[in-house]
Amino acid sequence: MVPRRVRFAAANTGHGAYGEPHKLDRYLDPEHERALASLRAANVAYRARQDADRQRRQALGCANAHRLGSFGDRRPCECVYCRPQDHLSARELAASAPHLFPPPSCLCATPTPDGGRCLHHRDVELVVLDGDPPALRQLADRSGGDRR
């Protein structure tokens, strides 16, 4: 018994046969194609997240706005995106004992007398992305419309 060749219209390699030049005779693995599509989607999602992170950091003037994720050297920066736990702790301490602790600083880490936003960042919104630390989400939940 001779194996019968099955020709696929969307095959990825091979040569067309006489009479059916638009069909290729190399097997197309559907799992491989799904994996490639999944990889393409993951790359697009990663780039979109990187762009969103860059934009939110640029809005605050973060020193690490143009750093690629965890690659490269991170510059020292005190903004809320670089040090969310410090901002959350400062806000909690100031709320628990306002007479002992200074008011929390702006999102960019500039000290403010009333614990609100500095003049440059009054209209900047705290943006939380998937994969951000829980402290950043807590800050976003607590600050809501806090733009003093």
Side-chain angles (χ1 to χ4, degrees):
M1 176 184 238
V2 177
R4 186 172 79 99
R5 279 194 159 166
V6 178
R7 303 202 182 273
F8 295 89
N12 52 357
T13 61
H15 301 286
Y18 179 74
E20 293 179 311
H22 63 286
K23 292 188 178 180
L24 303 174
D25 62 359
R26 179 90 184 239
Y27 176 69
L28 178 69
D29 183 8
E31 289 298 318
H32 180 72
E33 292 301 312
R34 277 193 283 273
L36 289 177
S38 176
L39 179 62
R40 281 190 297 272
N43 285 339
V44 167
Y46 176 78
R47 278 189 227 103
R49 188 185 187 294
Q50 289 297 101
D51 290 344
D53 185 47
R54 185 179 308 108
Q55 288 173 357
R56 71 182 183 171
R57 287 175 185 270
Q58 282 176 341
L60 282 183
C62 175
N64 295 307
H66 297 288
R67 300 283 179 222
L68 297 174
S70 59
F71 302 111
D73 296 329
R74 306 282 291 177
R75 293 182 182 165
C77 181
E78 301 291 324
C79 81
V80 71
Y81 298 120
C82 292
R83 304 184 63 108
Q85 187 60 50
D86 292 349
H87 281 261
L88 181 63
S89 298
R91 191 167 293 278
E92 288 172 348
L93 288 172
S96 66
H99 56 287
L100 294 176
F101 297 101
S105 59
C106 176
L107 299 176
C108 66
T110 302
T112 56
D114 62 352
R117 307 278 178 90
C118 69
L119 292 175
H120 301 288
H121 301 116
R122 286 193 188 270
D123 295 331
V124 174
E125 248 183 81
L126 184 61
V127 178
V128 181
L129 302 174
D130 291 339
D132 279 341
L136 195 59
R137 183 156 311 277
Q138 290 174 352
L139 276 169
D141 292 343
R142 291 181 184 178
S143 65
D146 180 24
R147 292 196 184 152
R148 289 181 265 168

